[in-house]
Structure formats: structure tokens, C-alpha cells
Amino acid sequence: MSSWKKVSKTNQRTHRERHQPASRAHLGLLEKKKDYRQRAKDHNEKQRTLKLLKRRALNRNPDEFYFHMINSRVEDGEHKELDKDDEHTPDQIHLMQSQDLRYVSTKRTMESRKINRLQSYLHLLDAANQVKNKHIFFVDTEKEAKQFDLTKQLDTHPALLKRRINRLRTNALKNLTLPKVDEVVIEKLAAERDKAYMELQKRIERERELTIIQQKLEIKRHLLNKKESTPKRIKPSTKDAPPVYMWKYERKR
């Protein structure tokens, strides 16, 4: 009996969901059960969220007050903090921002110099050996060209022919004493190299962030200049880019 059930199951026909009839093709694709479940799940989540917000609104204390209600406002769809004019004078604000700008500029210059040193340490040797250039030797006759030996001409080992730097001569190789290097030392050197590359990546990212901060401070300093007309903001500030303003062109006498 059990074997007959297995055979009957294997011979069952696979039922497929029908497609949208031709007469209803203008309504779009026919919604399947998986589509309905996904739509129903999203609808129920939104209803639960609305119910929670309504409950919070009903339980809110109408006499509640906090200072951020009067210290902020919405301008052009962007939430901004109100400037407190009574805390600092315009000259004091300009001085503080100029000091911040000078500090950020100094830090960015330091990071840029460290990046240059790391790049020269990590990439200089590899880049020098990968440069595609030619070294042409001239001979007088075809016989000399056929008998030309590059190893003898450069007076080095055949394994060092492709190197463009630190190509030692044969006499230097004979007098050279190499230290014994095992796998542990090789792994340690590889780990130090990877660590240096990670440091380079972090410093490049920090230098980029300092550049964005410096640009934002410079734009804020220009906006404090009351002698110039108020510029028009084209793009708001983001975490990856400073805001973009357009000043009206004024002809100088």
C-alpha cells in the first residue's frame, strides 16, 4: 500500500498558477499569492506603526516643554539650529571659525605628507620594476648581434635581467652574504606590508574627510562676509560634499 502511494505521488501533475487572461491584459500582471502575502505584510506593518503613533500622540503631555522647540526651525525642508547672537559677537565668531579652519588645514597637510611618504615607501619599488621602457644596445656587425649575450653585457645574473633597480653585478653577488630567511620571517614581513597598506587606506580616508570639512568651513566663512550680497544656495550640504552656493557677479571698479 505504501509503495502505491509513492508511485501515485510521483505521477501527480504539477499545478501552475494561471496567467492574466488576454481580456484583462490592460490591468497588468496577475497578482499571485506570494505577491498578495508581501503586500499584506507591508500593509499590516504600516497599520501597526500608525496605531503606535496614535497611541503616543494621545498619551503626550500637552504642557511638555523643552528648549529645542524654540532653538530650532525648518527652512526649505531642512532642520536648522537657530544662531544665538547673544553668546558671541560677529568678530568672535569669525575668529573662532578662522582658527578652526587653520587647524583643519594644518591637519590635512600633515595627513597628505604622511600619505606621500607611505605611497613612496610602498609603491616606488614595484612601480619602478613595472615601467615599460627599452634599453637598446648597438653593435657593428650581424655576427656580433647573433653572439650578443645580455648577461655578459650587464655583468649580472640571468634572474636579475628584468629588474630595473638594485641590479647587482657579478662581483657584488659573489661578495654578498644573504641572511637566512624562513617562512616565519616571510609571513611577518607580509603582515607588516598589509598593515602599512591598511594604514595608507585609513589616512587617505581621513584626508578626504578633512578636505570636506575644510571646504565647508571656507564656505561658512564667506557667508559671514556682510559686504557681499547674499548668495543663492544650489545644493545643500551632505556628508560627502560641501554645500554649493552661487554669488551674484558684481563688477569691481
Side-chain angles (χ1 to χ4, degrees):
M1 189 65 181
S2 60
S3 61
W4 179 81
K5 286 185 177 180
K6 292 182 180 178
V7 173
S8 62
K9 283 188 176 182
T10 55
N11 293 332
Q12 282 182 355
R13 182 180 177 182
T14 303
H15 295 277
R16 300 179 180 178
E17 293 185 86
R18 66 184 179 91
H19 58 80
Q20 185 75 284
S23 59
R24 297 173 57 86
H26 64 281
L27 299 175
L29 296 176
L30 180 64
E31 186 181 48
K32 304 298 190 296
K33 184 175 181 180
K34 60 179 182 180
D35 302 325
Y36 165 76
R37 292 181 61 185
Q38 184 177 1
R39 183 166 59 85
K41 182 180 178 182
D42 180 66
H43 175 73
N44 292 332
E45 288 181 356
K46 291 179 180 178
Q47 290 298 323
R48 284 194 295 269
T49 304
L50 289 175
K51 188 176 181 180
L52 177 62
L53 293 176
K54 288 180 180 179
R55 189 187 306 119
R56 289 180 179 177
L58 291 174
N59 295 333
R60 185 179 65 86
N61 183 8
D63 297 330
E64 183 181 1
F65 172 80
Y66 51 94
F67 285 99
H68 200 251
M69 292 179 177
I70 60 176
N71 292 337
S72 62
R73 62 185 176 185
V74 178
E75 293 182 359
D76 299 332
E78 184 178 353
H79 198 83
K80 293 183 178 180
E81 301 290 337
L82 292 179
D83 296 331
K84 297 180 180 179
D85 298 332
D86 55 343
E87 286 189 1
H88 305 287
T89 62
D91 294 336
Q92 292 175 348
I93 295 175
H94 182 75
L95 179 60
M96 287 188 294
Q97 290 184 352
S98 62
Q99 290 178 350
D100 294 341
L101 179 61
R102 194 178 300 113
Y103 172 78
V104 173
S105 177
T106 304
K107 286 294 183 180
R108 190 184 69 82
T109 304
M110 293 172 59
E111 290 293 334
S112 179
R113 291 176 180 175
K114 291 178 181 178
I115 288 172
N116 292 333
R117 284 199 296 268
L118 278 173
Q119 286 179 340
S120 62
Y121 169 71
L122 293 173
H123 299 294
L124 183 59
L125 298 179
D126 296 337
N129 288 324
Q130 293 176 1
V131 174
K132 296 181 179 180
N133 53 12
K134 296 182 179 179
H135 194 168
I136 301 175
F137 295 94
F138 296 92
V139 294
D140 296 331
T141 61
E142 294 182 1
K143 184 178 180 181
E144 293 182 3
K146 293 179 180 180
Q147 298 177 354
F148 183 79
D149 189 359
L150 187 58
T151 305
K152 293 182 179 179
Q153 181 69 26
L154 297 177
D155 190 21
T156 186
H157 193 271
L160 301 178
L161 290 177
K162 294 184 179 181
R163 294 185 62 85
R164 291 172 175 81
I165 59 172
N166 294 338
R167 186 191 292 149
L168 302 178
R169 295 184 179 273
T170 307
N171 296 331
L173 289 173
K174 291 180 180 179
N175 300 327
L176 184 64
T177 55
L178 296 176
K180 295 181 179 180
V181 181
D182 53 359
E183 295 182 358
V184 178
V185 177
I186 295 176
E187 292 179 357
K188 184 178 179 180
L189 293 175
E192 291 180 356
R193 182 194 59 189
D194 296 340
K195 184 178 179 180
Y197 274 110
M198 288 294 295
E199 181 184 357
L200 176 62
Q201 182 180 359
K202 291 180 180 179
R203 290 194 179 279
I204 290 175
E205 183 67 21
R206 176 173 172 79
E207 196 268 341
R208 186 184 67 84
E209 293 179 357
L210 289 174
T211 302
I212 296 174
I213 295 174
Q214 181 180 358
Q215 293 173 352
K216 290 181 179 180
L217 289 175
E218 288 177 351
I219 291 177
K220 188 178 291 186
R221 185 185 63 178
H222 286 298
L223 292 175
L224 289 176
N225 190 359
K226 302 301 182 181
K227 296 181 180 179
E228 298 180 357
S229 59
T230 304
K232 179 182 179 182
R233 191 178 69 172
I234 300 176
K235 291 183 180 180
S237 174
T238 61
K239 63 179 182 179
D240 297 325
V244 179
Y245 285 88
M246 183 176 67
W247 275 264
K248 182 180 179 181
Y249 175 75
E250 296 180 359
R251 182 179 177 183
K252 306 296 182 180
R253 292 184 179 180

